[in-house]
Amino acid sequence: MTFDTEKILQGCKNGESKSFKELYNLYAKAMFNISVRILNNKNEAEDVLQESFLKAFQNIHVFDKQAAFGGWLKRVVINKSIDVIRKQKETIISLDELVDVGSDDADTTQEEDAMDYDVEMIKESIQKLSDGYRIVLTLYLFEEFTHKEIAATLNISEGTSKSQYNRAKKKLIEFIQLKSKSHVI
């Protein structure tokens, strides 16, 4: 934690509105982007952002200086985003129960290496993924959670996390291949 961040946090603990605004400005964009990637909805992500900062400001006095504030806030944003999805009753289905998780990844590795992906195409394709796939893929790739952390956060098994990640990758490749073919034609 830098001296400035430490100073801003101390100002927040002292109730200084200027410090609250500085802290918000420092972290809002990154936290919004995390929430959008999970929720796939900007309006809901804005709500989550506001609720997360409100919770952070209400609990700023218990924040431990040893941890990074950004990491602590990120966890709040991720949990709030997942809560929104849970409230919508869109549950993550255990793919371990639905399909045999065989290793057909060898086939997709060559396909992945051979493709040249456009960033916008990838973003659009990620947005098309089902909530369960998108959440696991986002937490694993972008937020660098381990499958163990994802399992604990989503109340699923580690195997389900790995399975959903692999299925999400395959689905993402399918979307991108379809989109690539439509651009060629």
Side-chain angles (χ1 to χ4, degrees):
M1 187 171 355
T2 66
F3 174 73
D4 289 342
T5 306
E6 199 173 306
K7 186 177 175 183
I8 293 169
L9 285 170
Q10 189 56 50
C12 289
K13 288 180 181 182
N14 294 337
E16 299 169 9
S17 59
K18 180 183 174 189
S19 294
F20 286 122
K21 185 177 179 182
E22 288 178 30
L23 195 62
Y24 181 87
N25 290 337
L26 196 59
Y27 289 98
K29 185 176 180 180
M31 297 304 133
F32 175 76
N33 288 335
I34 291 168
S35 188
V36 166
R37 283 195 300 264
I38 292 171
L39 294 170
N40 203 25
N41 182 309
K42 288 182 180 183
N43 292 329
E44 288 177 346
E46 287 172 1
D47 291 344
V48 164
L49 181 69
Q50 299 309 316
E51 290 173 23
S52 297
F53 270 98
L54 181 62
K55 183 176 181 175
F57 291 153
Q58 289 171 339
N59 295 300
I60 199 85
H61 61 282
V62 296
F63 174 69
D64 178 17
K65 281 187 188 178
Q66 304 301 5
F69 179 79
W72 180 67
L73 183 60
K74 178 178 171 180
R75 180 61 80 171
V76 171
V77 169
I78 289 169
N79 288 337
K80 289 240 178 245
S81 298
I82 291 168
D83 286 346
V84 167
I85 288 177
R86 283 189 180 132
K87 286 178 186 167
Q88 294 171 343
K89 297 186 178 169
E90 294 180 16
T91 59
I92 298 172
I93 298 170
S94 171
L95 290 179
D96 289 342
E97 297 169 8
L98 297 176
V99 278
D100 180 31
V101 187
S103 179
D104 34 351
D105 288 342
D107 297 334
T108 59
T109 304
Q110 289 176 347
E111 294 169 10
E112 291 171 350
D113 293 340
M115 293 180 147
D116 183 25
Y117 303 127
D118 174 78
V119 173
E120 278 307 309
M121 187 185 301
I122 293 171
K123 283 182 181 179
E124 289 173 21
S125 298
I126 289 172
Q127 290 172 352
K128 289 180 184 177
L129 292 171
S130 69
D131 287 340
Y133 287 172
R134 190 181 62 256
I135 293 168
V136 171
L137 185 86
T138 297
L139 293 176
Y140 188 78
L141 288 181
F142 300 115
E143 306 312 323
E144 299 178 351
F145 276 40
T146 64
H147 286 294
K148 187 175 184 175
E149 291 169 325
I150 294 169
T153 302
L154 300 177
N155 295 321
I156 59 176
S157 72
E158 219 174 310
T160 299
S161 175
K162 290 176 183 177
S163 171
Q164 287 204 354
Y165 172 71
N166 286 326
R167 297 284 174 186
K169 265 190 350 187
K170 283 184 179 183
K171 198 68 169 163
L172 189 59
I173 290 168
E174 287 174 23
F175 287 152
I176 292 170
Q177 286 175 333
L178 278 172
K179 197 141 179 105
S180 293
K181 287 177 185 174
S182 68
H183 283 302
V184 172
I185 296 175

